[in-house]
Amino acid sequence: MPSNVANPAEVLDALACLHTEVDREAARLEAVHASRLRCGRGCAGCCVDGLTVFEVEAEAIRCHHADLLAEGVPHPPGTCAFLAEDGACRVYPHRPYVCRTQGLPLRWLDEDAAGTPVEFRDICPLNEDGDPIETLPVEDCWTLGPAEARLAALQASVDGGALRRVPLRSLWGDEAR
């Protein structure tokens, strides 16, 4: 972590608390949508190369999985470097925020050309069976924005607002890119 962090352990603790809260809400939504969710161990359709994470999440992986990064071999390019041969995540307990909500019905707000708020929704194609996501109650969708804002604020507290992101594959070093 950058040297301007007064207490890196506090930042990692705050990240762990955020991840716990995300997991709790994701588990609630997984229970609501149990009949439609096809995601599970070995389903790696969303585990693609090119994902970036805030430096604070990268640091958590570095701290908790130093042996894997030093002695392990990244999964071949095209999928996430942290996938095992069987498609399982090798850093699952410390996986980034983006990985914790994959597969759930997602909703977010944006603005149209006139500045009017517009709601968008999406879901993994494997999980489309069931009620159309456009008809789901708001509380039955993962709303993008609040958790991301908290994560960005945590990162800003570390890097002064630069919001530094790093590719997951880069955690393995230059030879894995």
Side-chain angles (χ1 to χ4, degrees), residues 84-99:
E85 288 299 317
D86 65 356
C89 178
R90 294 185 281 176
V91 296
Y92 190 82
H94 304 101
R95 69 198 182 284
Y97 159 77
V98 66
C99 304

Side-chain angles (χ1 to χ4, degrees), residues 40-122:
R41 184 183 177 100
C43 176
C46 297
C47 306
V48 296
D49 258 339
L51 290 177
T52 63
V53 298
F54 283 119
E55 176 60 38
V56 293
E57 288 187 302
E59 186 63 16
I61 293 170
R62 286 186 200 105
C63 288
H64 295 287
H65 301 279
D67 289 346
L68 173 64
L69 292 170
E71 300 164 16
V73 176
H75 199 275
T79 58
C80 180
F82 289 101
L83 286 178
E85 288 299 317
D86 65 356
C89 178
R90 294 185 281 176
V91 296
Y92 190 82
H94 304 101
R95 69 198 182 284
Y97 159 77
V98 66
C99 304
R100 294 168 185 268
T101 59
Q102 290 294 330
L104 297 173
L106 304 175
R107 70 179 287 273
W108 65 97
L109 300 175
D110 206 345
E111 293 183 351
D112 64 15
T116 305
V118 178
E119 180 189 71
F120 294 93
R121 293 187 181 201
D122 195 17

Side-chain angles (χ1 to χ4, degrees), residues 11-63:
V11 174
L12 291 177
D13 286 346
L15 177 64
C17 287
L18 174 61
H19 283 169
T20 297
E21 291 174 34
V22 167
D23 289 347
R24 189 177 309 121
E25 178 61 10
R28 183 190 72 78
L29 291 171
E30 288 168 4
V32 167
H33 298 290
S35 65
R36 82 184 310 152
L37 296 180
R38 304 289 176 259
C39 304
R41 184 183 177 100
C43 176
C46 297
C47 306
V48 296
D49 258 339
L51 290 177
T52 63
V53 298
F54 283 119
E55 176 60 38
V56 293
E57 288 187 302
E59 186 63 16
I61 293 170
R62 286 186 200 105
C63 288

